[in-house]
Structures are given as structure tokens and as C-alpha cells.
Amino acid sequence: MMTKPAAEACAAPSLLQTLKSFPMTVHALLFFTLVIRFSYFMAWPFIAVIMTQSYHMSPVAIGVAMTSSALFSVVLGMYGGQISDRLGRRVILLLGCAFSAIGYIVLAQATGMALFIIGLMIIGVSFAWVDPPLRALMSDLLGDRRRRALALQMRYYLINVAAVFGPLVGLVFGLTSQKGTFLITGLSYLPFFVYVLLFIPAGKLLSEEQADSGPVVKLHQVMGIIARDKTYIAALLCSILCSVVFIHYEAVLPQYLLLLDGNAAVKLITLILVTNACTVLLFQTFIMRFLARITLPKRILLGGIIFALSQLGFFSIRSTEIWLWLTATGVFSMGEAILMPNLNILLDQLAPPEHRGAYLGASMLSTLGIAAGPLIGGVMLAMTGSGVFICTALLSLLLCAIIYACRINMLTRLQDS
């Protein structure tokens, strides 16, 4: 995981030299990340539209389906890291790529709702066995912390580039909100599968001394360790709340726009996604140097307040006026650019060295927010309509309250680490 602020890694004078020092395999992994996420953003953000228009599913049914898929990802993700530690990254990446291709192809070819939901479940499995092992493989190949931090920052940057151009390309070629787009996403995993098969060696890439530095911590042991660490639990809970609010933007906001105006929804969703990614890229590039002197709890507190304001902005909009939605999205994106990386940094820096492996596994629990978010949002949308955004605003304020209450303990831990 990232151990330094992203801006610190990127602002170093030897940035280009550091990038050139990356092994070719790391450059290849970054490239395939861009390819996979590019095709992903052409299709996945419109999945709620497809489920509504093609299968006439209610917001609650959509929430149950997407939550079930994410829960598979959470549970298997915690075991996926242990599997890759024992058997090597190659095995789990090959399985993940294969399941990904199958899952998306099933979505593209599904003729009924049951088969479509099966495809969602398969994708939940595949995400847990592609994304975390890919990051772990980059960490294996890059020994020092600074290069690992820069690689993760480059990966985050490329994902946002894909988020900008993926929906735009899909819109230009008429691929958005079409089931056939999932076929393109599935096929994009095949070149990655071939690369892993041919160029990633089997077994562990770490030296025996590093690989055997500690015993594999089982799931129940991880839960016992973090249960006794109240400060880390507070940070983890904030990360879960952030994930709940963020996933509402991806899974619930499109459904709300469909309720407002089904004809204008697809174009508006595309513009919102592009605005979000562009704002995150630009804002993160320029704001991090100004936030560098501010403590982590204060940064997260600021991001949480901005998140809450953006949700109130979504709540107040009652039309499909593009400039209103893009303005609220810009505010949301500024909060995201502050919250997402700094919560990851906080979780990483609170982890004690003697239990780092266990804590890294436990941090996967932050994706519980992504798992529960669609269901919570679907129920709230069905019950309250736009009131769903009042709920997310309150969750953002709860995040702020937790950080404020625990800030002294967190600062003490951060100074000692």
C-alpha cells in the first residue's frame, strides 16, 4: 500500500528517472490496467440503466444484485491475497482474468435476468482475484517504498484517464447502455491473460527471507487483531462510510437520473462520469502540495465536509439541467480527490510493522461499503426518492464526527510510527 502522500512521490525531481527504473513487467501491468479499466468504464457505469431498461428491475432488486456481487468480492478478496502468497501471483491472476472474461461475456449474452445476475456474481469473484493481486505483484517487483508509491499513483492516474475517455468513446460509438459493450470488456482481459501466462513466472517473486518473514494470518486471526485496535477500527469505519457514499454516485445516481428523465439519463451520466474523472485528475495534481502541511485527520475532515455539501447539491436538483449536475459533480470530485487517497494513507500508516500483513488484509473490509452501498441506496431511493442524498450527506458528516473524535489518538499513533 501507499506509505507516502501521492504528491510527495510525484513532486520528486527524479520522477522520470524513477519511472525509467521500473521493470518492464511493471510498465506492462500499468498498461493492462489502462486497457481493462478503459473497457470497464465503457460499460459498467451504465449497468443500472441496462438492468432497468432491459429487465425492468426495481431499485431495490438492482441494489440486491450489485450488493451480492460486491460481497463475493469482499469475502474472496481476503482469501485471494493468502492464496497468492502461498501459490504466487501468477495462479490467482490467471484465474481472475479467466473469470472476468467469462463473467462479462455472460452479461453480454444473457437473455434473461437470472443469467445476467449469474454474470454479476462471476464478476464479483473476478475483481477480487485481479485487482489486489495485480497491486501486490507490482509491490513484489518494486522493492523500495518510494517506487511502490509512485507506481500506485500512476495506476490511480491511469484509472482516471480511463474514466475520462472510456464513457466518451462509448458514447461516440453508441456503445453506452448496450449489453454488447460487456463483450468488449470481457475480451479486453484475454491479452492480459496471455501476458501473465507467458511472462509472469510461477511461484513467489519475493526472496525466501521476505516470503517467510511471518506466518500466514487466517481470517479469524485478522478479525481478532483489528478488534483490539480501536483507532484502526475508527479509520476503517471512516473508509467504509466513504465507500458507501462513493458507490451511491456510481450505482444510485444513474437510477435517480432515470427517474427524472429516462431519455436524457445516458448522456447526462456520461458527462457526469467524465467531469468527475477530469476534476479528480486536475484537483489532485494541484491540491496535494497545499495539503502536504495539513495533518491527515484534518485533510479527511475537509474531504468529508465537501462530500456532505455535494450530496446536498444532488438533493436540491430537481431537473436534468446539465450545468447544475456538473457543478455538483465537481464539488463531489474535489471531496473524492481528498478523501480516497488520504484514507488509504491513514490505514497504511496506522498499521504496526509487526502485524502489517494482517492489517493489509483487514483493510479489504473497507470494500464492505461498496458491497452494502447499492442495497442501502436502492432501498432509500425506492422509499424517499431524492431523500437518498440526505442519507449520504448524513453518512459523510458521521465520517467527519468519527475523525474529529479520534484525531488525537490518530496523531499520536502517526507520530510514533
Side-chain angles (χ1 to χ4, degrees):
M1 290 182 66
M2 190 179 299
T3 57
K4 295 181 180 180
E8 183 179 341
C10 292
S14 57
L15 171 62
L16 185 59
Q17 289 80 0
T18 305
L19 288 172
K20 288 181 178 179
S21 72
F22 286 2
M24 285 303 299
T25 302
V26 174
H27 288 291
L29 294 175
L30 291 172
F31 170 75
F32 284 115
T33 296
L34 176 63
V35 171
I36 290 170
R37 289 306 183 101
F38 188 91
S39 63
Y40 166 89
F41 281 109
M42 288 172 58
W44 188 262
F46 305 93
I47 193 166
V49 178
I50 295 172
M51 295 169 80
T52 300
Q53 295 180 342
S54 299
Y55 302 108
H56 308 290
M57 295 175 66
S58 68
V60 175
I62 294 173
V64 170
M66 297 184 73
T67 294
S68 300
S69 177
L71 281 173
F72 271 102
S73 179
V74 170
V75 175
L76 291 178
M78 297 191 69
Y79 287 105
Q82 297 180 10
I83 295 173
S84 65
D85 284 338
R86 294 197 303 269
L87 304 179
R89 315 299 183 198
R90 183 173 182 257
V91 173
I92 202 73
L93 279 172
L94 288 174
L95 289 173
C97 287
F99 275 114
S100 297
I102 293 171
Y104 281 109
I105 291 173
V106 168
L107 290 184
Q109 301 299 318
T111 56
M113 185 173 64
L115 192 58
F116 195 87
I117 292 177
I118 290 174
L120 282 179
M121 298 303 106
I122 298 175
I123 290 172
V125 175
S126 68
F127 176 80
W129 288 356
V130 172
D131 199 63
L134 190 150
R135 295 198 308 267
L137 179 58
M138 288 197 300
S139 294
D140 292 344
L141 295 168
L142 299 170
D144 60 280
R145 291 182 177 181
R146 184 176 181 275
R147 293 204 304 167
R148 291 201 306 268
L150 180 57
L152 291 173
Q153 171 63 14
M154 289 300 300
R155 180 181 175 277
Y156 182 79
Y157 182 85
L158 290 174
I159 289 174
N160 280 284
V161 169
V164 171
F165 293 103
L168 280 179
V169 171
L171 184 65
V172 169
F173 289 96
L175 297 174
T176 53
S177 71
Q178 303 295 322
K179 286 202 304 177
T181 313
F182 290 119
L183 182 61
I184 299 175
T185 307
L187 294 176
S188 70
Y189 280 88
L190 297 182
F192 187 33
F193 179 92
V194 173
Y195 179 84
V196 173
L197 184 64
L198 296 180
F199 296 102
I200 302 300
K204 301 177 182 178
L205 297 182
L206 297 174
S207 66
E208 289 301 317
E209 181 180 353
Q210 289 175 299
D212 297 332
S213 58
V216 177
V217 182
K218 297 180 180 180
L219 183 59
H220 72 276
Q221 294 173 310
V222 171
M223 299 303 292
I225 292 171
I226 66 172
R228 294 187 292 271
D229 192 336
K230 306 304 181 184
T231 303
Y232 191 83
I233 288 177
L236 189 56
L237 180 57
C238 288
S239 184
I240 293 172
L241 291 172
C242 178
S243 298
V244 171
V245 178
F246 178 78
I247 201 62
H248 274 67
Y249 159 78
E250 287 194 347
V252 179
L253 183 59
Q255 298 178 63
Y256 179 69
L257 293 175
L258 280 172
L259 295 176
L260 288 179
D261 187 343
N263 295 325
V266 172
K267 180 180 178 181
L268 187 55
I269 292 168
T270 301
L271 293 174
I272 286 174
L273 289 170
V274 172
T275 300
N276 169 253
C278 288
T279 305
V280 169
L281 286 175
L282 293 174
F283 191 75
Q284 189 187 26
T285 300
F286 294 106
I287 198 62
M288 291 308 295
R289 67 179 65 183
F290 300 105
L291 295 179
R293 297 180 180 179
I294 301 176
T295 62
L296 271 174
K298 286 184 178 180
R299 291 183 219 168
I300 295 170
L301 187 62
L302 175 62
I305 292 172
I306 296 175
F307 245 28
L309 292 174
S310 70
Q311 301 307 302
L312 294 177
F314 289 146
F315 170 76
S316 64
I317 302 174
R318 294 291 188 271
S319 67
T320 53
E321 285 288 337
I322 293 177
W323 71 271
L324 290 174
W325 284 103
L326 297 190
T327 300
T329 299
V331 176
F332 173 85
S333 304
M334 288 189 288
E336 176 192 344
I338 297 173
L339 268 180
M340 302 293 272
N342 284 294
L343 279 170
N344 286 333
I345 293 170
L346 180 63
L347 287 171
D348 178 73
Q349 293 187 357
L350 288 176
E354 64 271 19
H355 296 301
R356 184 168 297 276
Y359 275 69
L360 292 180
S363 68
M364 284 289 295
L365 290 171
S366 62
T367 54
L368 282 174
I370 296 176
L375 179 56
I376 295 172
V379 172
M380 293 299 297
L381 182 62
M383 293 175 58
T384 67
S386 61
V388 65
F389 300 114
I390 294 295
C391 176
T392 50
L394 292 174
L395 292 178
S396 301
L397 293 176
L398 177 59
L399 185 158
C400 295
I402 294 172
I403 285 292
Y404 183 80
C406 301
R407 69 191 188 285
I408 296 177
N409 289 337
M410 289 179 178
L411 287 173
T412 301
R413 280 274 292 273
L414 293 174
Q415 290 171 359
D416 294 339
S417 61

